[in-house]
Amino acid sequence: MNTTVQILDQRTPEERDREFLPGMGRSWLLPFYDLHSRLAGVRALHDRVAALADIAPGESVLDVGCGTANLSLAVLRAQPAAITTGLDPDGSALRTAARKASRRRVPLTLVQGFADRLPVGDGSVDHVVSALALHHVPEEGRIRFGPEAFRVLRPGGRVTIVDFADSDGHGQHGHGAGGHGARGHGRSGHGHAGHDRSTPAGEPHTARSLEGGLVRLLADAGFTDAREVERVEHRFGPLAFVQATRG
């Protein structure tokens, strides 16, 4: 098996100067990111996303907001024959992800880019997954992510997301609990730091809640079966697992 790990910069010239929100809110906190994730018990969330996605051998997976690749590695634990790509705007996080994948001798492609412009072809992906990442993205970026996820999925392809749940029971972070800087989880700061985000006490690194949550976001993008499939109470707050399939 070829276990080469490569990082591809797929940003446009305009995106190269674009700011983003690091997973723990500050770039200098990156060395503590994985420790924070382990202590917070985030691995179980990644494993649950991988299980819910139910990836078959040879299927392609795009992990949006992959950060240091914790979800991507969970996907490969669950399905070693998955063709997995992690996307994140943070080059430092991607370099950490590459080192981790190389140590584990697993094949992983890493791409530097943003959630609101997924740099893959139409209908080219079997699964889009994301864990604790989209709450880092400003509202307009999250709205653009929905149609992008729909575009890149093949018919029958599935999106599986875990993120903060809003108070109405729809998947979307709402009010404060741990943006755990760890988006672990993928740090997707895809978007402009400091733009359109609230600052709940102790959580200066989360974007403001999206009206209607992730279920509404995916439904508005064209997914006809967008739904919250599970909810858990985590130390970060209520988290929702949301899925949808492209018809």
Side-chain angles (χ1 to χ4, degrees):
M1 176 186 295
N2 182 0
T3 58
T4 301
V5 180
Q6 55 182 332
I7 301 176
L8 306 175
D9 188 345
Q10 296 293 331
R11 296 172 298 171
T12 65
E14 294 76 19
E15 288 173 339
R16 292 180 187 277
D17 294 327
R18 184 174 171 183
E19 295 180 349
F20 60 87
L21 193 58
M24 292 186 72
R26 298 289 183 273
S27 297
W28 63 269
L29 290 172
L30 177 63
F32 306 102
Y33 178 82
D34 284 330
L35 175 61
H36 174 78
S37 295
R38 286 194 297 272
L39 294 176
V42 174
R43 177 168 172 161
L45 302 175
H46 297 145
D47 288 341
R48 187 56 182 153
V49 169
L52 288 170
D54 191 24
I55 299 156
E59 287 189 330
S60 56
V61 183
L62 178 63
D63 175 8
V64 177
C66 69
T68 61
N70 292 324
L71 177 56
S72 293
L73 294 173
V75 165
L76 289 167
R77 285 195 299 271
Q79 180 47 263
I83 302 168
T84 306
T85 299
L87 173 76
D88 202 274
D90 190 335
S92 296
L94 292 176
R95 287 188 288 274
T96 298
R99 290 193 293 270
K100 289 163 63 175
S102 295
R103 287 197 301 269
R104 291 163 175 77
R105 301 183 64 80
V106 295
L108 179 63
T109 297
L110 297 165
V111 175
Q112 192 167 6
F114 291 85
D116 56 9
R117 192 191 66 82
L118 302 178
V120 296
D122 297 358
S124 63
V125 175
D126 295 296
H127 296 270
V128 172
V129 298
S130 184
L132 298 170
L134 292 176
H135 67 275
H136 286 253
V137 183
E139 181 174 15
E140 69 275 16
R142 275 176 282 166
I143 291 171
R144 288 195 295 268
F145 162 76
E148 279 291 278
F150 189 89
R151 176 185 66 80
V152 304
L153 283 170
R154 63 167 180 80
R158 184 183 302 125
V159 57
T160 306
I161 300 169
V162 63
D163 215 309
F164 292 99
D166 67 20
S167 58
D168 295 326
H170 303 293
Q172 180 55 49
H173 109 96
H175 321 281
H180 64 259
R183 50 184 163 160
H185 1 168
R187 25 184 1 158
S188 164
H190 315 152
H192 297 279
H195 181 224
D196 226 7
R197 59 189 171 101
S198 61
T199 55
E203 295 299 337
H205 44 280
T206 58
R208 74 180 182 87
S209 179
L210 180 67
E211 184 67 28
L214 290 173
V215 171
R216 172 67 63 81
L217 181 152
L218 294 174
D220 288 348
F223 292 94
T224 59
D225 67 341
R227 65 213 180 275
E228 180 179 314
V229 295
E230 286 184 18
R231 176 174 289 224
V232 297
E233 290 296 328
H234 194 271
R235 62 174 291 180
F236 299 145
L239 300 175
F241 293 84
V242 173
Q243 281 193 310
T245 305
R246 177 172 178 177

